[in-house]
Amino acid sequence: GLKYTVSLNDSKSFWEAQTGLAMVLREQGKSEKALEHAMAAIDKLEEVQRLLTISEFKSGYTDKHINIYENILDLLVSMNKDVPWKGYDVMAFQYAEKAKARVFLQNLLESKADIRSGVSPELKSKEQEILRKIADRQKQLLHDDSDKRKRKELASELKKYENDFKKLEHEIKSNNPKYFNLYSPEPY
């Protein structure tokens, strides 16, 4: 089930499940719950996008999943029509800005702009090594039909590398906040 997917950090299945739940709940008229699941799907998608290393893969990744942003925007606009005083219009604007930021970042990556010029070579190397390990573990989890013990071991390793990456992100941010803000855009 969903809990098993989350425990294994199977990101793709997680956001697909969250997106599917959001759509079903919306059809049932449970907009608030649908919104929670749609937001969880986007959070996981953006977490994975930050970890991707190959710009072409990242580009295709955003292209294939932009509909998740479109779905949440449609949901928020609909919710705002029903209860305009709840601030769903502001949330819709924030998600629209997030989507535009992702597309902008995608275009930067495709243009091969050197947005990392202020990051030290040591940090760049460390970042690439951690991202490679994360990508390897994610690939193994997505394509490996090993027993539960092996999958739990892979998930544990993945979690460790993701934590290492978060620590490194903090170090990069403290050394070069402009790069970090461009690489991991947040809405205002």
Side-chain angles (χ1 to χ4, degrees), residues 14-174:
F14 180 77
W15 81 68
E16 286 175 349
Q18 292 294 324
T19 301
L21 283 169
M23 293 170 68
V24 168
L25 288 166
R26 182 175 182 190
E27 288 175 12
Q28 294 175 347
K30 299 176 183 175
S31 296
E32 289 285 336
K33 281 288 191 194
L35 180 59
E36 289 176 25
H37 290 284
M39 290 168 59
I42 287 179
D43 289 345
K44 181 56 80 173
L45 179 66
E46 290 181 347
E47 177 184 317
V48 171
Q49 286 173 326
R50 284 192 301 272
L51 300 176
L52 296 175
T53 58
I54 303 168
S55 63
E56 291 77 18
F57 184 56
K58 182 175 256 189
S59 169
Y61 195 83
T62 301
D63 288 345
K64 291 176 189 168
H65 299 93
I66 200 71
N67 66 326
I68 294 174
Y69 289 97
E70 292 169 351
N71 291 341
I72 198 168
L73 289 171
D74 186 50
L75 175 61
L76 287 165
V77 167
S78 173
M79 291 172 74
N80 190 63
K81 286 178 184 174
D82 294 338
V83 283
W85 58 87
K86 283 211 170 182
Y88 295 123
D89 55 340
V90 173
M91 287 178 69
F93 178 76
Q94 290 174 337
Y95 277 100
E97 289 300 302
K98 272 186 171 189
K100 287 195 294 188
R102 287 285 164 206
V103 171
F104 176 69
L105 180 58
Q106 171 186 332
N107 290 338
L108 275 178
L109 290 170
E110 287 174 355
S111 73
K112 309 255 188 269
D114 187 11
I115 60 174
R116 301 163 41 112
S117 62
V119 179
S120 74
E122 295 81 23
L123 288 178
K124 286 181 188 178
S125 176
K126 190 174 179 181
E127 177 186 46
Q128 290 304 311
E129 179 62 22
I130 292 171
L131 290 173
R132 185 192 59 74
K133 289 177 181 178
I134 288 171
D136 287 347
R137 295 318 178 275
Q138 286 178 333
K139 182 178 176 185
Q140 288 175 320
L141 279 169
L142 289 173
H143 302 291
D144 191 2
D145 293 330
S146 298
D147 60 26
K148 280 187 176 181
R149 184 192 57 76
K150 178 65 175 171
R151 290 185 61 79
K152 283 187 178 190
E153 182 181 308
L154 288 170
S156 176
E157 290 175 9
L158 176 60
K159 186 77 169 164
K160 178 202 175 299
Y161 294 132
E162 287 173 342
N163 288 334
D164 290 347
F165 185 75
K166 286 178 183 176
K167 290 176 190 172
L168 182 63
E169 278 184 324
H170 179 71
E171 187 176 349
I172 290 172
K173 184 177 183 176
S174 65

